[in-house]
C-alpha cells in the first residue's frame, strides 16, 4: 500500500510568518497615522508669554484675563507686596494700584451713581496688587499660598473673567492671550 504524499510543513510556517508580519505592518501604519493626525488636528499649545514682573501702575489698563487681586490697607503695604511678588515664579505680570488710583477708577466706573460717589473717599478703598499668573498655574492654590504668605492683606481673590462673563447677559469682547486690553 502506498502512502499518500505529505505536504511539507515549510509552506504552512511561511504562511504563518507572513501573516504575523502583515499584522505588525498594519499596526505600525495605523499607529503612525493616528500620531500624525493628532498633530495636525490638535490646536498648538499657546506660546508661553514672557514674564515681566517689574511692578507697574495699573493705570488705564483693562485686565481681562485670569488674575489674583490682593487688597491691602495702605499704599506702603501694596508696594511691599508688589516687590515680594516680583520674584514669585508663578507671577507673569504685577500691577499696582494706590488708594488714590483706585478712587479715580471707582469714580469712572460709578459716574452714573452719585449716591455711591458721595459715600466713598480714597481712604475707604484699598490699595491693590493685581498679579497675572504664568500659564498653567493653579490659581486657586496660588491664592491660598498668598493668603498664608501675606496674612495682613485685607483679601486675596481670584478674578476669573470667564466665570463672570458666563453670568452676564451680554458677551464681552474676547480677551487677548496677554490678559489685558
Amino acid at each position: 500500500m502506498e502512502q499518500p504524499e505529505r505536504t511539507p510543513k515549510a509552506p504552512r510556517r511561511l504562511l504563518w510568518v507572513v501573516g504575523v508580519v502583515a499584522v505588525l505592518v498594519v499596526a505600525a501604519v495605523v499607529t503612525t497615522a493616528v500620531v500624525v493626525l493628532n498633530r495636525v488636528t490638535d490646536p498648538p499649545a499657546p506660546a508661553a508669554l514672557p514674564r515681566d514682573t517689574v511692578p507697574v501702575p495699573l493705570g488705564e489698563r483693562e485686565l481681562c484675563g485670569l488674575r489674583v487681586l490682593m487688597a491691602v490697607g495702605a499704599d506702603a503695604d501694596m508696594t511691599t507686596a508688589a516687590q515680594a511678588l516680583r520674584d514669585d515664579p508663578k507671577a507673569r505680570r504685577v500691577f499696582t494700584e494706590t488708594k488714590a488710583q483706585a478712587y479715580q477708577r471707582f469714580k469712572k466706573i460709578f459716574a452714573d451713581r452719585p449716591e455711591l460717589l458721595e459715600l466713598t473717599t480714597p481712604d475707604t478703598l484699598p490699595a491693590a496688587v493685581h498679579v497675572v499668573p504664568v500659564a498653567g498655574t493653579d490659581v486657586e492654590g496660588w491664592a491660598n499660598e498668598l493668603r498664608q504668605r501675606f496674612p495682613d492683606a485685607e483679601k486675596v481673590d481670584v478674578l476669573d473673567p470667564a466665570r463672570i462673563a458666563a453670568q452676564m447677559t451680554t458677551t464681552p469682547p474676547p480677551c487677548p492671550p496677554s490678559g489685558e486690553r
Side-chain angles (χ1 to χ4, degrees):
M1 183 155 146
E2 221 178 278
Q3 293 200 5
E5 195 175 305
R6 296 177 98 187
T7 36
K9 290 187 179 185
R12 262 192 251 160
R13 284 187 191 146
L14 182 61
L15 284 176
W16 187 82
V17 170
V18 168
V20 168
V21 169
V23 167
L24 291 175
V25 168
V26 168
V29 168
V30 168
T31 302
T32 303
V34 167
V35 169
V36 169
L37 286 177
N38 277 342
R39 286 188 186 156
V40 171
T41 58
D42 284 349
L49 296 168
R51 288 185 70 230
D52 180 8
T53 57
V54 174
V56 295
L58 182 61
E60 297 295 318
R61 289 178 181 85
E62 179 188 349
L63 299 180
C64 57
L66 186 65
R67 66 189 178 279
V68 174
L69 168 68
M70 182 186 308
V72 294
D75 291 348
D77 296 333
M78 177 267 306
T79 302
T80 301
Q83 288 301 326
L85 288 166
R86 184 179 185 176
D87 297 326
D88 192 316
K90 295 176 184 165
R92 190 179 68 74
R93 296 286 309 254
V94 178
F95 297 98
T96 59
E97 187 173 49
T98 64
K99 291 169 95 46
Q101 291 165 338
Y103 181 65
Q104 292 303 317
R105 190 165 55 91
F106 182 87
K107 288 190 326 186
K108 285 181 186 175
I109 292 170
F110 295 104
D112 60 343
R113 306 273 311 268
E115 69 279 3
L116 278 178
L117 297 177
E118 286 178 25
L119 297 172
T120 308
T121 65
D123 287 334
T124 58
L125 297 173
V129 180
H130 299 262
V131 192
V132 178
V134 170
T137 299
D138 170 12
V139 183
E140 292 291 341
W142 187 36
N144 287 332
E145 288 175 29
L146 294 177
R147 287 181 193 102
Q148 298 296 316
R149 197 166 141 198
F150 299 96
D152 294 335
E154 291 179 12
K155 69 178 180 175
V156 176
D157 284 340
V158 173
L159 300 180
D160 184 355
R163 190 172 34 198
I164 295 166
Q167 299 171 355
M168 296 172 65
T169 56
T170 60
T171 304
C175 185
S178 66
E180 61 183 282
R181 293 186 246 257

